[in-house]
Amino acid sequence: MPKPTKAVQSATLPQYQMSPAFMERFIDAAHSENAEIERSQNAKGIKLVDGSEISADSLDYFLDKKAEMEAEFLSDLTDEIGSTKAVWFCDVIAKDWYDGKGLRNGPRVLDVKLSVREWLVSRLRSGASLGDVVVHPEINCSANPTLSSDEVDKILYVNHRMLIKHVEAWKDVHENAQFISDDDIFLRRGLCLTGPIDTSLPYKEWDYVNSYSIAFSAPEKFAQMTRGGTPAIVNGDLHLFDHRVLFFSPFVPGMAVGQLEFGVIPGRSPEPIKHQGEHGGIQEYVIGERPD
């Protein structure tokens, strides 16, 4: 039996099987036996999800419903942690985190990371340390964080509840609505590596808040940001991130939605990671326990 073409190998990766946008790329590549599926190319400026992916994968649901979801998120968050902290948290994420440069490294984002660190310390699996789940566990700050661990729990809970509701609604309008399940929905993170990931070791998150996307075109661009590096995308199915989503850009009042960004915190224990090969110039990895 002949070996599948590179385009077939890419299109059958689990993270792309239910994506009409990726299938369009496959159809374009299938006209030539040796062609690989094309990737979105990096360009200067904010890395936005391609319009073609938004349309083909019905991701415009999250754009069209943004005002409604913002109001729901702020209302639910206010019920859980009070108006002052709810407004403060949304403002930090919408302005300081999204800035991506100076403000993201500023005191308000550091404050949020301190809160996540304290939450994680109190909830790590027995025998685990912060260094087991995050690459950079140290934070050089002794200030008391604005949010308590219980309040971080409540933020995670509001995101979890809203994601269940709105992912189900998005699936209903998806081209593959009859077939798509949560196991087919992935979050992904674009990385520019200095070398391959050592898959013999468990995967650790880089920081206390990490950017993922439900789309693939923006991570493709992030993966290619550094010339001379190794572009890579790390993928995990939606349930891998249960109760680990600190924010989702369509939910946050005033936050630009264009990257369809998730703010993901480290899990309570490290996860296995598997290399899926190079596809269109990008190394693909999948995290979590998944069948081959």
Side-chain angles (χ1 to χ4, degrees), residues 107 110-111 114-115 117-118 139-147:
L110 180 61
D111 190 329
L114 283 168
S115 298
R117 184 185 69 178
E118 295 308 304
I139 297 180
N140 296 319
C141 181
S142 58
N144 292 322
T146 297
L147 301 168

Side-chain angles (χ1 to χ4, degrees), residues 134-204:
V134 61
V135 175
H136 295 287
E138 299 302 322
I139 297 180
N140 296 319
C141 181
S142 58
N144 292 322
T146 297
L147 301 168
S148 69
S149 293
D150 285 344
E151 288 167 335
V152 172
D153 253 337
K154 291 174 180 178
I155 294 171
L156 299 174
Y157 171 69
V158 169
N159 278 286
H160 181 69
R161 185 173 61 200
M162 283 189 60
L163 281 169
I164 291 173
K165 173 183 176 181
H166 288 289
V167 166
E168 285 301 314
W170 166 61
K171 283 157 60 178
D172 285 343
V173 300
H174 195 278
E175 180 178 308
N176 294 321
Q178 290 183 302
F179 311 104
I180 193 169
S181 71
D182 286 355
D183 288 342
D184 301 311
I185 299 168
F186 283 76
L187 306 187
R188 56 268 291 183
R189 176 168 168 78
L191 301 172
C192 192
L193 306 174
T194 56
I197 295 174
D198 185 350
T199 57
S200 69
L201 300 174
Y203 179 72
K204 301 179 186 181

Side-chain angles (χ1 to χ4, degrees), residues 65-234:
K65 298 284 186 180
K66 180 164 171 60
E68 175 186 320
M69 290 187 289
E70 285 182 348
E72 180 182 0
F73 183 71
L74 183 57
S75 175
D76 288 358
L77 202 57
T78 297
D79 288 344
E80 295 290 344
I81 66 174
S83 176
T84 300
K85 289 188 178 181
V87 170
W88 176 84
F89 174 76
C90 291
D91 193 61
V92 172
I93 301 303
K95 295 179 181 176
D96 296 33
W97 177 266
Y98 189 77
D99 175 71
K101 295 180 181 178
L103 292 178
R104 183 174 291 194
N105 297 314
R108 295 208 303 171
V109 171
L110 180 61
D111 190 329
V112 171
K113 290 182 180 181
L114 283 168
S115 298
V116 173
R117 184 185 69 178
E118 295 308 304
W119 175 89
L120 200 56
V121 165
S122 66
R123 286 156 176 81
L124 281 173
R125 296 268 170 89
S126 177
S129 68
L130 289 173
D132 292 329
V133 296
V134 61
V135 175
H136 295 287
E138 299 302 322
I139 297 180
N140 296 319
C141 181
S142 58
N144 292 322
T146 297
L147 301 168
S148 69
S149 293
D150 285 344
E151 288 167 335
V152 172
D153 253 337
K154 291 174 180 178
I155 294 171
L156 299 174
Y157 171 69
V158 169
N159 278 286
H160 181 69
R161 185 173 61 200
M162 283 189 60
L163 281 169
I164 291 173
K165 173 183 176 181
H166 288 289
V167 166
E168 285 301 314
W170 166 61
K171 283 157 60 178
D172 285 343
V173 300
H174 195 278
E175 180 178 308
N176 294 321
Q178 290 183 302
F179 311 104
I180 193 169
S181 71
D182 286 355
D183 288 342
D184 301 311
I185 299 168
F186 283 76
L187 306 187
R188 56 268 291 183
R189 176 168 168 78
L191 301 172
C192 192
L193 306 174
T194 56
I197 295 174
D198 185 350
T199 57
S200 69
L201 300 174
Y203 179 72
K204 301 179 186 181
E205 295 294 352
W206 183 255
D207 204 345
Y208 289 106
V209 185
N210 305 276
S211 293
Y212 283 75
S213 177
I214 198 170
F216 57 78
S217 52
E220 287 175 337
K221 297 170 187 178
F222 278 109
Q224 302 170 71
M225 282 182 63
T226 304
R227 186 172 296 177
T230 300
I233 295 179
V234 173

